């Protein structure tokens, strides 16, 4: 605005001469990119460059600054219930993220309804087990994530060995200190077997 006024008064500046239409366009794009078009109104129909501030919109923006506004069409819900439902939705979205990234359940394309239900049930049970594990590990202050806990538990092996045609001997691999900590934190008894065998 100052440059346009100075040009009208005969002051010369370096570079291309600024026009009102060019100034309007540049200002309008800057306002739009800053997402301020509700507050700063640029009058594109005017011959001279001009704009005004919508005070009502500015006061509303100041009032909402730093806040999350939840709008719902569900009748009969109190404000705390709306917030609780919203947080539940966020929890569901986190569950889908866990299924995709941590549990690594890939997309499977089914055609038959019973297979679709079975796949959905497996995903749901996997998510429930993951949540229970996370809750118990946190309550026990074990310092393990469900992923690390599963890595430890996956190393436990059940063996069945037959030597020189004799009777088969079965047993579970020796439980390490870390595996014992995980089992204790999860409230699961150590795998029982007739004998404990060292890893083969």
């Amino acid at each position: 605005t100052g440059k346009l006024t100075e040009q009208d008064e005969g002051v010369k500046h370096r570079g291309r001469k600024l026009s009102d239409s060019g100034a309007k366009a540049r200002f309008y794009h800057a306002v739009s990119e800053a997402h301020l078009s509700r507050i700063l109104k640029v009058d594109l129909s005017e011959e001279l460059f001009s704009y005004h501030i919508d005070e009502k919109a500015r006061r509303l923006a100041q009032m909402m600054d730093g806040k999350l506004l939840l709008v719902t069409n569900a009748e009969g819900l109190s404000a705390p219930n709306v917030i609780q439902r919203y947080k539940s939705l966020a929890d569901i979205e986190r569950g889908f993220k866990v299924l995709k990234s941590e549990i690594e359940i890939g997309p499977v394309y089914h055609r038959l309804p019973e297979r679709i239900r079975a796949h959905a049930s497996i995903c749901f049970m996997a998510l429930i087990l993951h949540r229970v594990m996370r809750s118990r590990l946190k309550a026990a202050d074990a310092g393990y994530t469900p992923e690390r806990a599963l890595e430890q538990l996956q190393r436990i092996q059940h063996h069945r060995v037959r030597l020189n045609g004799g009777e088969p001997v079965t047993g579970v691999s020796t439980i390490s200190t870390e595996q014992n900590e995980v089992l204790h934190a999860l409230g699961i008894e150590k795998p029982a077997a007739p004998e404990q065998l060292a890893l083969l």
Side-chain angles (χ1 to χ4, degrees):
T1 305
K3 190 175 180 181
L4 283 169
T5 304
E6 288 174 354
Q7 279 182 180
D8 291 340
E9 293 172 354
V11 179
K12 293 186 178 180
H13 294 278
R14 292 181 66 184
R16 189 187 302 174
K17 191 175 180 181
L18 188 65
S19 66
D20 283 271
S21 59
K24 278 190 292 184
R26 287 173 61 185
F27 186 71
Y28 176 77
H29 287 302
V31 167
S32 298
E33 286 176 6
H35 304 288
L36 293 172
S37 54
R38 289 184 179 180
I39 300 171
L40 285 168
K41 303 292 183 181
V42 184
D43 195 343
L44 297 174
S45 61
E46 284 288 327
E47 185 179 338
L48 297 177
F49 170 65
S50 65
Y51 70 92
H52 72 277
I53 297 172
D54 187 329
E55 289 296 333
K56 185 179 177 181
R58 186 177 66 84
R59 285 194 298 272
L60 181 63
Q62 284 179 331
M63 184 178 70
M64 295 304 300
D65 188 32
K67 298 177 179 70
L68 174 66
L69 179 64
L70 298 178
V71 180
T72 179
N73 59 358
E75 296 180 6
L77 286 178
S78 63
N81 282 337
V82 171
I83 293 169
Q84 185 182 6
R85 295 285 180 91
Y86 177 77
K87 288 182 176 178
S88 297
L89 178 63
D91 199 37
I92 290 168
E93 289 172 354
R94 278 194 297 272
F96 279 114
K97 184 180 177 184
V98 167
L99 281 173
K100 290 179 182 177
S101 59
E102 296 173 18
I103 301 177
E104 296 181 357
I105 292 181
V108 180
Y109 302 99
H110 299 295
R111 183 175 55 84
L112 300 175
E114 59 268 21
R115 291 190 178 181
I116 295 170
R117 282 194 294 271
H119 184 71
S121 297
I122 290 169
C123 292
F124 181 72
M125 286 187 288
L127 184 58
I128 291 295
L129 287 171
H130 188 277
R131 294 274 175 99
V132 170
M133 284 182 68
R134 185 179 64 187
S135 176
R136 289 186 180 182
L137 289 168
K138 188 176 180 181
D141 198 22
Y144 288 94
T145 62
E147 293 72 40
R148 281 191 58 214
L150 286 172
E151 282 176 15
Q152 290 292 334
L153 297 181
Q154 282 172 351
R155 296 175 187 168
I156 300 174
Q157 299 179 10
H158 181 270
H159 300 279
R160 182 180 175 87
V161 181
R162 186 190 298 270
L163 299 173
N164 297 327
E167 287 295 315
V169 179
T170 60
V172 178
S173 58
T174 304
I175 306 296
S176 69
T177 306
E178 292 81 7
Q179 291 165 349
N180 202 27
E181 287 176 0
V182 171
L183 291 169
H184 180 71
L186 294 175
I188 299 172
E189 293 183 9
K190 285 179 18 176
E195 296 180 40
Q196 284 280 355
L197 301 178
L199 279 170
L200 298 179

